[in-house]
Amino acid sequence: ELEALADPMRKDVSVVRKRIDVVNKELKPLGTNVQKKEKEYKDALDAFNEKNKEKVQLINKLVELVGESERLRMKKLEELSKSVDSMQ
């Protein structure tokens, strides 16, 4: 009875401490998994951003090439038009 008076919650405290230990053991691999997934996400995001940057550069180059092609075509058409005009 004296022991029970000294710490009436001892059994409950012991159960809670054991549960805390179990949860801590479960948390360790989960924490490791989170770190691994965060690294994978960061790597995937970096790769995505790099490809997106490359795509933007390629689109800009395409716009430049199409513009240059149009200028050359207009120049040729003007030359042909002058040539036709001079024949008449």
Side-chain angles (χ1 to χ4, degrees):
E1 279 185 42
L2 231 69
E3 283 182 26
L5 284 176
D7 193 357
M9 302 297 285
R10 183 175 57 206
K11 183 178 178 187
D12 293 338
V13 168
S14 176
V15 168
V16 170
R17 283 185 175 163
K18 285 179 183 175
R19 185 67 186 131
I20 289 171
D21 289 343
V22 168
V23 170
N24 272 336
K25 287 178 184 174
E26 292 170 350
L27 276 174
K28 286 180 184 179
L30 291 173
T32 302
N33 195 25
V34 166
Q35 289 176 340
K36 179 183 170 191
K37 297 291 182 185
E38 284 176 342
K39 184 183 180 331
E40 288 175 9
Y41 170 76
K42 184 186 174 302
D43 291 346
L45 184 61
D46 288 346
F48 173 81
N49 287 334
E50 192 62 35
K51 284 295 175 187
N52 208 30
K53 194 163 99 176
E54 182 181 356
K55 180 181 108 176
V56 167
Q57 290 171 342
L58 289 169
I59 288 171
N60 288 337
K61 183 67 175 174
L62 178 62
V63 168
E64 182 183 316
L65 290 171
V66 168
E68 181 64 25
S69 176
E70 285 298 311
R71 280 189 292 280
L72 289 172
R73 263 198 265 181
M74 288 303 292
K75 187 177 177 182
K76 286 282 187 191
L77 279 173
E78 287 172 6
E79 289 172 4
L80 283 171
S81 178
K82 286 179 185 175
S83 174
V84 168
D85 286 346
S86 68
M87 288 181 176
Q88 294 176 351

